[in-house]
Amino acid sequence: MRSYGAPLYRPRHASAVVASLRRVTAPARISAAQARRIAIAAGGLDGAVPGERGRTGVRTLERSIERLGLLQLDSVNVFERSHYLPLLSRIGPYDRGALDRLLHHDHPRRPRLGGYTEYVAHEAAVIPVADWPLWAWKRREPLRGGGDRWAAEHESIVDGVLEEFAERGPMRPSDMEHPAHERLPGGWWNKSDAYWATAVLFQRGELVTVGRTRFERQYAVAEQALPEQARAALERSAAQRALVERAAKAYGVATLDDLADYHRLSIKDARAAVDDLVADGSLERVEVEGWGRPAWLWAGARRPRRVRATALLSPFDPLVWHRPRAERLFGFAYRISIYTPAAQRTHGYYVLPVLIDDELVGRVDLKSDRRAGILRVQHATIEPGQEHRAGELAARLVPMLEEAAGWQGLERVEVAGAGTWAGAVAGALAGALR
């Protein structure tokens, strides 16, 4: 008769049980190359090859935005404003007017809210209106840069600005008639107190973006503009879990700081969300060759054996916007350089990484000379170790440059500057013109 206090079996060596458990629970290993392919596929760039993409209609635009979750905004348009470029990289030349209409940019005089708005969801970004509840927790947090103190000191102005929007409806800050909206000399940074009040109200969620005119936001009072379902507030931990889940899908494989950075969450909050996603099987702990830190694989991530891609990447493309991740994934140390003094720039001013298949092989500084009808390659640099492939890779780059020029309404591409890749790119361009 068995004693219930005794073990059901006694292994010859207790260490055998420990070793067995370790084999069961040890994280799967992923090669560095496979991690790159997973990330590229998850980001929607596998198959992004000039001349080989599919449809570029409105539904395609919507699906692409849905995959990324957001489009980061930036005012620099020396080549093209940043929110247009991730879609070009993924679906090819599309009607920018269609995107403008979708986002209500330069569209109606008195716009109403469509399917998209904006919030500080990474940095300033386009987001679906349906995602507004995901950010309720952030709208309740203290404002950055001492904004709460400023708002308390200027409470009457903040209240007056909100009242003006409530009475007059959607408009740009420059259209305000508030007495504190005096015109100040000195440049774009020298804004009026009424303008800063709109920034406070936007971050608090009391004003919502309903479009842009000449890239200036048009605001409306959130309670007047948002549909009822969008005004609901999702509980903080549930919202952050959803945001980390989206980041994990968009990245495919990622470290904790990658997942936190996608929506600019704290490491603590991201870790709690990751634990939940691991517990329900949505994320799997893995080890990636060369990363030297824990990583997590999205359960639904594709693991392609190879990827085909030829894409120019915006400096604010999710594949590269977290610079430590770009270096970890691709060995690509990256700075956009628009904030670097000219004498200290190594690769130019508006520097775009070049993705070919599963590698970032170089970078180009592009300028759309709209008056002359020329896309100027002001600098082109090939990555160390790729020099022996400079001509082959330039031949892959040129159709992409020509595609971008045509999308911009420009007539031709010219290599106007220097760099270790410039000669090969110029040669490939001349060959394409013969």
Side-chain angles (χ1 to χ4, degrees), residues 256-318:
L256 181 61
D257 66 299
D258 294 338
L259 296 171
D261 180 77
Y262 203 96
H263 294 104
R264 297 289 166 88
L265 306 181
S266 72
I267 292 294
K268 178 182 176 182
D269 288 337
R271 183 179 287 113
V274 166
D275 290 344
D276 283 350
L277 292 166
V278 169
D280 74 9
S282 298
L283 284 179
E284 175 190 353
R285 171 86 154 74
V286 293
E287 290 182 0
V288 179
E289 175 191 7
W291 283 19
R293 63 182 67 190
W296 285 268
L297 177 71
W298 176 248
R302 287 178 51 216
R303 304 191 193 190
R305 293 185 178 181
R306 63 187 293 265
V307 293
R308 294 185 67 248
T310 311
L312 293 166
L313 300 180
S314 160
F316 309 107
D317 191 291

Side-chain angles (χ1 to χ4, degrees), residues 11 16 87 128 179 185-186 198 236 242 245 248 264 316 373 376 387 399 406 410 416 425 433:
L87 302 177
T198 65
R236 179 189 180 103
E245 182 177 21
R264 297 289 166 88
F316 309 107
R376 299 192 186 279
E387 294 89 347
L410 305 174
V425 174
L433 293 173

Side-chain angles (χ1 to χ4, degrees), residues 65-66 68-72 121-123 125-128 262-263 318 321:
I65 298 170
E66 182 180 357
L68 298 174
L70 60 118
L71 296 174
Q72 185 172 337
H122 186 74
E123 293 295 332
V126 170
I127 64 169
Y262 203 96
H263 294 104
W321 66 13

Side-chain angles (χ1 to χ4, degrees), residues 34-113:
Q34 188 177 32
R36 291 196 301 272
R37 295 193 296 269
I38 290 169
I40 291 165
L45 285 158
D46 185 16
V49 178
E52 298 183 19
R53 304 176 184 92
R55 296 180 179 180
T56 61
V58 171
R59 185 65 192 115
T60 305
L61 295 176
E62 291 174 331
R63 282 196 297 266
S64 296
I65 298 170
E66 182 180 357
R67 178 192 283 269
L68 298 174
L70 60 118
L71 296 174
Q72 185 172 337
L73 294 155
D74 189 81
S75 62
V76 176
N77 68 344
V78 62
F79 168 49
E80 184 52 273
R81 288 196 171 102
S82 66
H83 66 287
Y84 292 104
L85 296 178
L87 302 177
L88 174 68
S89 300
R90 286 158 177 80
I91 68 175
Y94 65 93
D95 179 3
R96 284 172 297 167
L99 182 62
D100 289 341
R101 290 188 291 274
L102 200 61
L103 306 183
H104 284 195
H105 287 190
D106 293 320
H107 185 38
R109 281 190 173 184
R110 292 179 62 83
R112 58 178 179 79
L113 195 63

Side-chain angles (χ1 to χ4, degrees), residues 132 139 162 200-208 220-223:
W132 191 254
R139 293 191 289 271
L162 184 60
V200 166
L201 291 164
F202 169 68
Q203 291 185 59
R204 287 178 175 172
E206 294 179 74
L207 289 181
V208 64
V221 174
E223 287 189 358

Side-chain angles (χ1 to χ4, degrees), residues 316-370:
F316 309 107
D317 191 291
L319 190 66
V320 295
W321 66 13
H322 187 40
R323 308 311 190 208
R325 176 175 170 84
E327 189 154 5
R328 193 185 320 117
L329 259 179
F330 299 102
F332 192 81
Y334 180 41
R335 293 183 67 179
I336 181 175
S337 297
I338 60 176
Y339 307 114
T340 304
Q344 298 175 25
R345 293 178 195 142
T346 305
H347 304 294
Y349 177 72
Y350 196 76
V351 182
L352 289 82
V354 177
L355 175 70
I356 294 185
D357 297 334
D358 66 349
E359 298 177 288
L360 293 179
V361 301
R363 55 195 91 196
V364 290
D365 173 21
L366 298 183
K367 178 178 180 178
S368 294
D369 187 339
R370 297 170 178 89

